[in-house]
Amino acid sequence: MNGTRVFESLNAEWAVVCAEPGHTEMVLGWLREGGVHFGDREVEGGLSEVLAELGRRDRTQDRGHSDRWLRVLLERAVGEGAGALLAARVIVQAMVPGAMRLTRRLQAGRDYDETGRVVVACLFQVVRRFPLGRTSGAAANLLLETLHLASRELKAESAEGGVVQYPYLDAVLSGEPADDDPAQSAWAGVLERRAARAGLLRDGEGVDGARGELVELLVWAVGAGQMDADRARVIADETRVGAQAGAGVSAVAWRKRRSRTVRQMRVVAERWVQAA
């Protein structure tokens, strides 16, 4: 169907995930450990049938059923490694109908596929950092958080001059605290050592909050060959609080420099998401 390529691609990718040996048994094992049991028929049907059966049970049982199996997978999805990514991917696939509804709601004259890509990316972020203490009404909460995050991201794309500004980056570049981080960092110690070796931190600086997310992105960009190390150090210096005051440039020149940095970081951020 024209205008729905993003979801067609998502479904095609899901078929590949389902075909991967071991994925079905891995997910079934997690569900069994969490008290959600299946018979032989669902096992033989593969991962796609497991998800379909969960959907059928959700429609015939109370909301507690979806909360139970979503909690099992969310506990895995917020972790690290291939298992976490698989758990997150299963949840995202289960939420595709809701993501399509959000895309239609947020489209507002925008290209459907471009809007859908933002919604899917935000959904994946929400799944990966979902607070486990909020699993009552998990499906609704996932969609609500995705709606809020995607709405902010899409509004940010209306920035002056056509520059796409991601909220967490724009907040860091302005020297302000950010409310939205792209992911939760579970490896702060490793990141701090890598950032220090790359010359991205000064004495006493940490890798917490929005600034930590920016440093993490710069570390990845240098390591992946997406950015020169010298350029990464310049960005790290320019984005420190008070950097403009000591730069000796006009406000207009500083805004142009910041816009140039955001454009470059947008490309890097998109490649980071694709690599993840």
Side-chain angles (χ1 to χ4, degrees), residues 123-241:
L123 173 59
F124 189 81
Q125 288 184 43
V126 168
V127 169
R128 292 279 280 146
R129 67 187 190 189
F130 194 76
L132 296 178
R134 294 180 50 197
T135 50
S136 177
N141 282 326
L142 284 167
L143 288 177
L144 183 60
E145 291 300 319
T146 300
L147 172 62
H148 291 165
L149 181 56
S151 178
R152 289 192 290 270
E153 293 285 357
L154 289 166
K155 286 179 181 178
E157 292 187 357
S158 315
E160 59 180 338
V163 177
V164 178
Q165 296 180 347
Y166 284 70
Y168 77 97
L169 284 176
D170 192 47
V172 172
L173 295 169
S174 302
E176 301 169 356
D179 294 326
D180 299 305
D181 298 332
Q184 293 292 333
S185 176
W187 57 297
V190 174
L191 174 60
E192 191 166 335
R193 288 193 295 274
R194 291 181 180 177
R197 285 198 300 269
L200 302 176
L201 295 179
R202 291 180 179 172
D203 291 343
E205 281 188 332
V207 290
D208 299 324
R211 175 144 191 97
E213 295 295 348
L214 177 61
V215 169
E216 182 177 2
L217 185 55
L218 290 171
V219 167
W220 175 86
V222 173
Q226 300 292 331
M227 182 181 294
D228 180 83
D230 289 337
R231 175 59 178 154
R233 284 191 285 272
V234 168
I235 292 175
D237 288 339
E238 287 182 347
T239 55
R240 288 188 175 92
V241 175

Side-chain angles (χ1 to χ4, degrees), residues 53-89:
E53 177 62 19
L54 288 170
R56 285 192 287 269
R57 294 183 184 186
D58 286 347
R59 290 189 291 273
T60 59
Q61 300 182 30
D62 59 25
R63 191 181 67 186
H65 178 265
S66 64
D67 286 347
R68 282 192 297 276
W69 72 261
L70 278 170
R71 181 180 181 85
V72 170
L73 296 185
L74 284 167
E75 287 175 346
R76 301 281 178 170
V78 298
E80 298 295 328
L85 294 177
L86 173 60
R89 186 63 184 83

